[in-house]
Amino acid sequence: MKKIIVTGGAGFIGSNFVHYVVNNHPEIHVTVLDKLTYAGNKENLVGLPSNQVKLVVGDIADAELVDKLVQETDAVVHYAAESHNDNSLNDPFPFVQTNIIGTYTLIEACRKHNIRYHHVSTDEVYGDLPLREDLPEYGEGVGEKFTAETPYNPSSPYSSTKAGSDLLVKAWVRSFGLKATISNCSNNYGPYQHIEKFIPRQITNVLSGITPKLYGEGKNVRDWIHTNDHSSAVWAILTKGRIGETYLIGADGEEDNKTVIELILELMGQSKDAYEHVQDRSGHDLRYAIDSTKLREELGWEPEFTDFRSGLVDTIQWYTDNQEWWKSEKELIESNYAKQGQ
Ligand SMILES: NC(=O)c1ccc[n+]([C@@H]2O[C@H](COP(=O)([O-])OP(=O)(O)OC[C@H]3O[C@@H](n4cnc5c(N)ncnc54)[C@H](O)[C@@H]3O)[C@@H](O)[C@H]2O)c1
């Protein structure tokens, strides 16, 4: 493998993956295919060597462009998506268009040219798990986590379009022999994440003198993973994963939102209760938790960033040092949230 296409490589997780490839595999040439929506930012790729990384601004649903690029590559790693649950509740159409039609367009081109394809997805396709505190102390369901066998049960337009795209890939493997793998990862944090998302929103609230906002009571649990660990896992699956398999990626990082907001406040030198409760997200999933045994045992992958607190310290530092990266968008993001009582 010498050349790969990374779709959505100017977004949060995609750009971190491109940095990971450049830093660890200098022999690989990366073509980033990105539409540069509000969530994509050329700045995320600044400083990367131009002889190793090329940006093509375009839509993954543009069949002609995709066909041309795919026939010149060895593999496609597909990150591009509409990715924000709250936006999907306000306007689901772009989610259907990009996440379903866009994925369809990519896998059709990969099928036609017999190109290796890796599909990046989310654990949200599985719906949610009960909170641990609501589980009986002993008995069925205790310690339950998502595995590749968990039935799909998505809650939001975002997660349902991601689920739909996963199912297309599974069918293309079975019906057409597409050389594909799928990964479903838990919630990522780290540099370059759009400030509409929970962790960077709260960090940039503190930096802007705005009171941080907690959805509802903040009991909802997410299984946090540093985005660099997501990148190393995707690389392991792309290079060593078995065709047709699904691998779940997670780093045992379960934390509820209240704990996360309090930790951010503490690490930023504020009082732990200096936040306000806002209206909960409609259909808000309760708990996600990943069982990544298959990935660890089969491919020998291990996460590096297992200390959430120190990962958060680094992330806070990044948003503090890179205020010009997010400042111009802050007012608009907060006024959009305010319109929804959030
Ligand atoms: N954020 C998470 O915690 C998380 C967790 C698990 C999986 N994922 C998955 O990882 C992928 C990346 O997520 P993210 O958080 O980096 O998203 P993001 O919103 O930060 O980035 C998405 C990127 O895709 C690009 N894009 C959107 N529509 C496009 C189109 N039609 N054509 C080409 N490019 C387009 C955007 O410009 C942007 O650069 C998604 O598939 C998401 O479902 C995310």
Side-chain angles (χ1 to χ4, degrees), residues 112-330:
K112 182 172 159 198
H113 300 291
N114 195 26
I115 298 297
R116 175 81 171 86
Y117 173 85
H118 179 70
H119 186 72
V120 176
S121 191
T122 164
D123 60 354
E124 300 190 26
V125 299
Y126 300 114
D128 58 357
L129 297 164
L131 295 176
R132 284 187 188 278
E133 66 209 53
D134 295 336
L135 290 167
E137 201 174 336
Y138 300 100
E140 209 183 329
V142 175
E144 189 191 342
K145 294 185 172 193
F146 297 135
T147 69
E149 281 69 49
T150 305
Y152 276 32
N153 188 24
S155 313
S156 73
Y158 163 63
S159 51
S160 63
T161 56
K162 289 298 292 186
S165 71
D166 293 10
L167 296 179
L168 290 180
V169 177
K170 287 173 196 272
W172 261 238
V173 169
R174 176 148 179 180
S175 299
F176 304 124
L178 182 72
K179 293 186 296 186
T181 42
I182 296 176
S183 56
N184 296 87
C185 187
S186 58
N187 282 61
N188 284 220
Y189 72 100
Y192 301 112
Q193 185 167 31
H194 196 277
I195 57 165
E196 68 189 352
K197 302 288 195 322
F198 182 66
I199 287 180
R201 183 180 178 209
Q202 309 315 332
I203 294 170
T204 56
N205 276 345
V206 175
L207 292 171
S208 309
I210 298 169
T211 307
K213 311 278 188 280
L214 184 66
Y215 289 127
E217 287 182 63
K219 284 182 168 181
N220 307 61
V221 172
R222 300 293 175 259
D223 190 353
W224 294 101
I225 181 172
H226 193 281
T227 189
N228 286 3
D229 284 332
H230 188 180
S231 294
S232 64
V234 167
W235 183 260
I237 298 165
L238 180 68
T239 53
K240 298 189 278 184
R242 281 181 297 138
I243 297 301
E245 291 296 314
T246 291
Y247 296 89
L248 270 62
I249 307 172
D252 297 327
E254 281 184 68
E255 301 285 354
D256 66 44
N257 285 347
K258 181 166 177 286
T259 306
V260 174
I261 209 167
E262 288 177 353
L263 189 53
I264 290 171
L265 282 161
E266 182 202 322
L267 294 173
M268 296 185 79
Q270 311 285 311
S271 157
K272 270 172 81 167
D273 59 0
Y275 61 87
E276 61 183 330
H277 296 270
V278 291
Q279 191 182 313
D280 207 351
R281 173 188 284 163
S282 146
H284 201 175
D285 282 341
L286 285 175
R287 173 175 159 246
Y288 305 135
I290 290 274
D291 178 346
S292 59
T293 310
K294 177 176 170 182
L295 174 66
R296 292 174 194 239
E297 291 187 351
E298 205 181 295
L299 305 184
W301 172 84
E302 287 296 333
E304 262 181 58
F305 298 79
T306 46
D307 179 358
F308 183 59
R309 191 184 173 94
S310 71
L312 214 45
V313 169
D314 291 350
T315 306
I316 291 168
Q317 195 60 49
W318 190 87
Y319 283 93
T320 307
D321 293 344
N322 292 280
Q323 303 209 16
E324 73 293 348
W325 184 85
W326 55 266
K327 235 187 178 137
S328 60
E329 283 181 292
K330 185 67 185 165

Side-chain angles (χ1 to χ4, degrees), residues 6-16 32-42 44 56-62 66 78-84 87 94 97-99 102-103 106 119-124 158 162 165 183-189 192-194 196-197 223-225 227 230 249 325:
V6 177
T7 72
F12 163 44
I13 309 181
S15 66
N16 276 289
V32 170
L33 172 59
D34 199 296
K35 193 177 165 185
L36 298 182
T37 67
Y38 78 96
N41 191 340
K42 274 189 202 168
N44 299 2
V56 175
V57 179
D59 193 327
I60 55 163
D62 177 343
V66 165
H78 176 35
Y79 285 93
E82 286 293 336
S83 70
H84 192 38
N87 294 345
Q97 174 62 26
T98 286
N99 300 356
T103 298
L106 288 167
H119 186 72
V120 176
S121 191
T122 164
D123 60 354
E124 300 190 26
Y158 163 63
K162 289 298 292 186
S165 71
S183 56
N184 296 87
C185 187
S186 58
N187 282 61
N188 284 220
Y189 72 100
Y192 301 112
Q193 185 167 31
H194 196 277
E196 68 189 352
K197 302 288 195 322
D223 190 353
W224 294 101
I225 181 172
T227 189
H230 188 180
I249 307 172
W325 184 85

